[in-house]
Amino acid sequence: MRRSPLLWLGMFGLLFLLWAWGDCLRNTSLISYGTAVWRTSVTHADSEISVMCMDAGGDQAGWMYGRWERQSDLPFGRPSFQKWGGDPVLKLPDWLLVGLYLGVWGGLLAWRWRKRMRESC
């Protein structure tokens, strides 16, 4: 296991998710891409990732990125699907993303271990 790329790449991914969770308690990050008709935005703040598709209303097409400092006291959110001005917003809390990641990564590690055990017999 010590030379397993799955283990080390998975550890890198987990550390990135945990860093991003801690960072979003101090900063808000936004990335958005749009055309003249639709704009899709992903925002990371308040320990959750929000994904929104909205009518661009003639906004400038292309990529937008923003980051600003903030203070949060919301370490744990809950998943939700809301409307913001008539546009759908999907909110996924960081704890859910980390839990899903750990479940998938752990399952892959267990599968690989069982496969190696079968091959060695």
Side-chain angles (χ1 to χ4, degrees):
M1 273 304 218
R2 63 183 161 82
R3 291 185 287 173
S4 168
L6 180 62
L7 175 71
W8 293 108
L9 289 174
M11 187 69 69
F12 176 74
L14 177 63
L15 289 175
F16 173 77
L17 285 174
L18 293 174
W19 169 82
W21 187 355
D23 182 64
C24 81
L25 294 174
R26 294 180 307 275
N27 301 295
T28 295
S29 299
L30 164 81
I31 189 164
S32 179
Y33 179 77
T35 64
V37 180
W38 283 99
R39 177 160 294 283
T40 302
S41 299
V42 178
T43 306
H44 195 203
D46 295 331
S47 292
E48 63 187 14
I49 293 179
S50 302
V51 180
M52 179 178 4
C53 295
M54 62 188 133
D55 182 8
D59 274 351
Q60 180 181 1
W63 290 95
M64 286 180 12
Y65 175 76
R67 183 172 168 86
W68 52 96
E69 193 172 326
R70 56 179 307 285
Q71 295 295 322
S72 176
D73 57 352
L74 301 171
F76 298 99
R78 62 174 206 249
S80 65
F81 186 75
Q82 303 171 349
K83 294 271 186 182
W84 185 70
D87 297 316
V89 179
L90 174 64
K91 294 188 174 202
L92 299 172
D94 286 324
W95 62 263
L96 178 65
L97 296 174
V98 169
L100 288 172
Y101 184 86
L102 284 172
V104 170
W105 182 41
L108 287 171
L109 285 172
W111 170 79
R112 185 174 185 275
W113 179 76
R114 287 185 59 177
K115 182 180 172 190
R116 290 184 64 128
M117 292 302 289
R118 269 192 244 129
E119 288 173 355
S120 67
C121 291

